Amino acid sequence: MSQHISELLSGLSAVEATLLVLLISLGGAFVMEAVVVRLLLQYTKRTKTSIDNIVVQELRWPLVVTMSLAGVYLFAQAPAVATALVVDETVLDRFFGLPSISVGIVVWAWALNRLVNRVVESVKDKGSRFDFAPVFSNVWTIVVAAGTIGALLYLWGIEITPLFAGAGIAGIAVGFAAKDTVANFFGGIALYFDDTYKIGDYVVLDSGEAGTVVKVGIRSTTLLTRDELLVTVPNSVLNAAKIINESAPNRRRRMKVPIGVAYGTDIDEFEEILVDIAIDEPLVLDSPRPRARLRRFGPDALEYELVCWVNSPLKRGKATHNVNRAIYNRLNAAGIGIPFPQRDVHVHTGDATDSSRQSVVSEMSNGGRTRSRTDDTFDESDAEDDSYGDLVGDE
């Protein structure tokens, strides 16, 4: 391409080439800014979406700078300019052509990175499918940076094959040193593709933590518990754990309230009371309709469950509390008993050893003796006899 441009400019003098550079640089930049960009901005203001407006705003300066740098590049390709400056065309290209292209690459990379980041910022709160958009924003930044560096090295003729080899060795070292960070990064991407959860979902982990997802980052996910504590969990842990998403596929959740009733109770009346209590509770949904189910014949009661639905897993605790209070009050008012286990405890005063000791004490109190002796003298064998000491002490 440079050869074709040089052939087109070969008939121009140094002055003509300079004037052409000024015309293309200044004139092209003015036309791009005053005409093209302004017309595009006026058009985007009439549209309903804001994305096209962001695109024009972020590409405005790259377009103007590109038109300005185009003149500089043409200046470096004019043979008359090299002759007038008494330099080689290769030197002129290295001092004017390659730097202008390099600046253009950096400007466009910077603009494209800002464009994607602004688009992500504008759409991340517009639906569950955009919850992991910040992760891709970070990935895009890394890709743009790597692509820009590679393009600049190739443009300036720097051999990048040894760099790839060195980067491979460095990548292995970094991989071992930052394996947890890398695992968290790819774990976040895997969670996105699996559509495991999104911001606002209430999740329960197999380790026992439960809370609402408030932030999904490139390294970790933050949960807000019912105690209003923030719990940060690495994405690699979440990717390997069993997660119960209680907000998917919808936020409606079923709750079960166990209740026992005494044998002999009119179960039709009892079931009607339970259903009426659930219907009267504001937190309980009317559809699906609440229902009472007899689950089993227990040892102490007929074991029932009141099955009903709430519109959020976070409301299940309060709804259960309200329903339990209403059940207790309504059953007491209706004279229906709630049975509970009863146990008889038998207390024994002592065993056979205690009885024998009591008989010895009884005999001593009556002046008797538990052992017979021929005389009242004390010998060494009496010192080893514990019962003798006890008797002397009692006396």
Side-chain angles (χ1 to χ4, degrees):
M1 182 177 178
S2 300
Q3 183 178 0
H4 294 293
I5 295 177
S6 299
E7 293 177 357
L8 293 175
L9 300 176
S10 59
L12 299 178
S13 63
V15 176
E16 292 173 342
T18 303
L19 292 176
L20 180 62
V21 168
L22 293 175
L23 177 63
I24 294 178
S25 299
L26 299 179
F30 176 78
V31 172
M32 186 63 66
E33 169 67 20
V35 179
V36 178
V37 174
R38 289 192 178 184
L39 289 177
L40 290 175
L41 288 175
Q42 291 178 0
Y43 171 76
T44 56
K45 289 180 180 179
R46 295 193 297 266
T47 60
K48 296 181 179 180
T49 180
S50 62
I51 296 180
D52 53 359
N53 193 30
I54 294 175
V55 172
V56 175
Q57 289 177 356
E58 294 301 328
L59 297 184
R60 176 180 182 178
W61 287 110
L63 292 173
V64 174
V65 171
T66 300
M67 293 304 300
S68 302
L69 294 176
V72 177
Y73 180 77
L74 291 176
F75 178 79
Q77 304 302 316
V81 175
T83 303
L85 296 177
V86 195
V87 294
D88 188 74
E89 294 182 4
T90 306
V91 176
L92 188 65
D93 183 64
R94 182 167 292 273
F95 277 93
F96 291 96
L98 294 181
S100 62
I101 297 177
S102 300
V103 172
I105 292 175
V106 173
V107 169
W108 276 98
W110 175 77
L112 291 176
N113 185 56
R114 279 182 53 89
L115 172 62
V116 172
N117 290 337
R118 287 192 60 185
V119 171
V120 167
E121 191 68 23
S122 64
V123 304
K124 68 178 184 179
D125 298 326
K126 293 187 176 181
S128 59
R129 56 180 178 173
F130 299 113
D131 288 339
F132 278 81
V135 175
F136 286 98
S137 177
N138 296 327
V139 174
W140 173 254
T141 301
I142 296 174
V143 171
V144 170
T148 302
I149 294 174
L152 291 176
L153 293 176
Y154 176 80
L155 178 66
W156 287 89
I158 300 175
E159 184 64 33
I160 60 176
T161 303
L163 296 179
F164 282 141
I169 298 174
I172 295 174
V174 172
F176 280 108
K179 59 181 181 179
D180 292 337
T181 302
V182 175
N184 291 330
F185 174 75
F186 287 103
I189 296 178
L191 290 172
Y192 170 76
F193 284 109
D194 291 342
D195 196 20
T196 306
Y197 53 79
K198 59 182 182 295
I199 294 178
D201 286 354
Y202 187 81
V203 298
V204 180
L205 308 183
D206 55 2
S207 57
E209 289 89 353
T212 304
V213 180
V214 295
K215 181 181 178 182
V216 179
I218 191 172
R219 189 192 68 85
S220 61
T221 297
T222 304
L223 305 179
L224 179 64
T225 66
R226 297 293 299 275
D227 297 327
E228 295 187 357
L229 299 176
L230 291 177
V231 178
T232 301
V233 186
N235 289 332
S236 59
V237 175
L238 291 174
N239 194 43
K242 182 178 70 174
I243 303 175
I244 301 175
N245 189 345
E246 295 198 356
S247 299
N250 52 65
R251 299 190 65 84
R252 186 182 67 184
R253 278 293 166 267
R254 186 172 70 167
M255 73 176 200
K256 300 177 181 179
V257 181
I259 178 67
V261 65
Y263 283 94
T265 302
D266 186 349
I267 59 175
D268 293 330
E269 178 186 1
F270 176 71
E271 293 176 2
E272 183 179 357
I273 292 175
L274 294 182
V275 173
D276 290 341
I277 290 173
I279 293 176
D280 294 339
E281 171 55 42
L283 296 178
V284 174
L285 299 178
D286 295 333
S287 179
R289 181 179 174 82
R291 54 192 181 274
R293 291 290 183 262
L294 176 58
R295 296 306 185 191
R296 63 187 61 85
F297 295 94
D300 303 301
L302 299 174
E303 298 180 5
Y304 268 85
E305 275 186 346
L306 175 60
V307 182
C308 49
W309 295 77
V310 291
N311 61 2
S312 172
L314 299 177
K315 297 180 180 180
R316 189 162 45 194
K318 185 176 181 180
T320 302
H321 167 74
N322 294 341
V323 169
N324 279 332
R325 284 177 54 89
I327 290 175
Y328 182 76
N329 293 330
R330 290 282 294 273
L331 293 184
N332 283 339
I336 299 177
I338 302 176
F340 54 90
Q342 298 184 13
R343 299 291 183 265
D344 294 332
V345 179
H346 300 276
V347 180
H348 298 278
T349 58
D351 53 14
T353 303
D354 294 334
S355 301
S356 63
R357 290 179 179 177
Q358 291 177 0
S359 64
V360 171
V361 174
S362 177
E363 292 178 3
M364 289 297 299
S365 62
N366 294 327
R369 292 290 186 271
T370 58
R371 55 186 298 180
S372 60
R373 298 186 58 86
T374 58
D375 55 55
D376 294 332
T377 61
F378 177 84
D379 57 14
E380 294 180 357
S381 62
D382 293 326
E384 298 177 356
D385 192 350
D386 294 335
S387 60
Y388 182 84
D390 294 338
L391 295 177
V392 173
D394 290 339
E395 292 179 350

